[in-house]
């Protein structure tokens, strides 16, 4: 058996959690991207004043996951803050404790999928069920090797480039052991600039950092050492939680 094989490759080949990505979703009113310096949502329609949420660059409490199982909850929290200015303002009033409370609430909601091992954190389908960014709802697709996996990654980048952030699950392969060949971590594709020289920004919750990575490197889907810090030190994107149209799946 190939050492670079992932469980998600097998699922994709079997057509489980696979298929064409949903139709693209335009940026919804009130959904604002994370800003580069300190996670600011700028003034604009529905935003009477700039809103500071937990910092990504050292000024104030970090936007960090609270334990080893809450990477998904931290990502879902940042996603919710991007789409809900009232929630962002409430968290901004006491960002450290309130960001932790928000993580715990979202983690409990995701944990209703009781058969998924708790030590692995959030299940992709649970994240898709709970994920909200303003009026935007989400579905999920496995990212296997080959053309279908590339299509899912392209859909994720397209959504992020239109202003709709996308949670991405990352993991390893059989080279590290079977237990690493499943989804192990969650990051947030915040935004992306399309084109051959485009750059994407990825929020990584264990380090509370915002990483800039080449879009083409992300789309290639192969292990890249320079990409791994943005993926929580895992080599592959293995699942994507994609925005869907109101009638889409």
């Amino acid at each position: 058996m190939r050492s670079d094989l992932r469980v998600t490759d097998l699922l994709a080949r079997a057509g489980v959690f696979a298929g064409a990505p949903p139709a693209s979703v335009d940026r919804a009113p009130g959904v604002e991207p994370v800003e580069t310096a300190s996670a600011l949502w700028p003034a604009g329609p529905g935003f009477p004043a700039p809103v500071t949420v937990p910092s990504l660059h050292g000024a104030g409490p970090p936007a960090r996951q609270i334990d080893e199982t809450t990477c998904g909850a931290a990502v879902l929290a940042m996603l919710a803050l991007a789409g809900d200015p009232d929630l962002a303002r409430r968290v901004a009033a006491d960002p450290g404790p309130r960001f932790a409370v928000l993580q715990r609430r979202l983690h409990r909601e995701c944990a209703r999928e009781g058969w998924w091992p708790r030590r692995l954190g959030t299940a992709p389908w649970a994240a898709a069920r709970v994920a909200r960014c303003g009026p935007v709802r989400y579905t999920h697709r496995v990212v296997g090797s080959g053309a279908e996996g590339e299509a899912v990654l392209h859909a994720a980048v397209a959504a992020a480039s239109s202003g709709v952030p996308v949670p991405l699950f990352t993991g390893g392969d059989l080279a590290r052991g079977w237990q690493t060949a499943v989804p192990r971590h969650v990051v947030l594709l915040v935004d992306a600039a399309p084109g051959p020289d485009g750059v994407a920004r990825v929020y990584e919750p264990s380090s509370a950092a915002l990483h800039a990575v080449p879009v083409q490197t992300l789309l290639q889907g192969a292990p890249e050492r320079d990409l791994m810090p943005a993926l929580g030190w895992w080599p592959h994107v293995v699942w994507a939680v994609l925005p869907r149209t109101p009638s889409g799946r």
Side-chain angles (χ1 to χ4, degrees):
M1 185 175 292
R2 286 169 34 207
S3 63
D4 63 346
L5 194 66
R6 297 163 275 171
V7 170
T8 47
D9 291 329
L10 302 177
L11 292 175
R13 290 174 189 175
V16 179
F17 303 126
S24 61
V25 176
D26 292 332
R27 178 170 167 175
V31 175
E32 295 291 342
V34 177
E35 291 298 317
T36 304
S38 58
L40 298 177
W41 278 263
F47 289 77
V51 176
T52 305
V53 298
S55 172
L56 297 175
H57 290 275
R64 183 173 287 118
Q65 65 189 80
I66 54 177
D67 63 41
E68 67 277 4
T69 67
T70 57
C71 54
V75 162
L76 294 175
M78 292 297 276
L79 190 65
L81 293 170
D84 187 338
D86 290 333
L87 177 62
R89 279 189 286 271
R90 291 196 298 273
V91 170
D94 192 8
R98 292 186 183 183
F99 189 63
V101 167
L102 182 57
Q103 283 187 62
R104 292 189 183 97
R105 178 173 66 78
L106 292 167
H107 190 58
R108 286 195 300 271
E109 291 184 26
C110 290
R112 293 173 186 170
E113 305 288 344
W115 64 272
W116 181 255
R118 293 293 296 274
R119 61 187 171 81
L120 296 181
T122 301
W125 44 90
R129 174 176 55 80
V130 172
R132 297 289 185 274
C133 190
V136 179
R137 300 298 183 264
Y138 286 77
T139 185
H140 63 99
R141 294 290 186 275
V142 69
V143 180
S145 302
E148 285 196 353
E150 291 177 9
V152 173
L153 291 175
H154 277 275
V157 169
S161 67
S162 72
V164 182
V166 176
L168 299 174
F169 282 73
T170 67
D173 48 46
L174 290 178
R176 297 187 178 193
W178 67 267
Q179 70 274 19
T180 74
V182 297
R184 294 302 303 268
H185 191 53
V186 193
V187 300
L188 184 65
L189 179 59
V190 173
D191 58 18
D197 299 319
V199 173
R201 293 188 299 170
V202 179
Y203 160 63
E204 197 288 296
S206 70
S207 60
L210 199 60
H211 297 268
V213 301
V215 168
Q216 290 304 312
T217 301
L218 185 64
L219 291 174
Q220 286 168 2
E224 291 283 349
R225 185 171 183 83
D226 292 342
L227 187 61
M228 286 178 64
L231 303 184
W233 296 101
W234 293 99
H236 307 286
V237 175
V238 298
W239 221 295
V241 177
L242 298 169
R244 60 178 173 83
T245 57
S247 59
R249 297 183 59 189

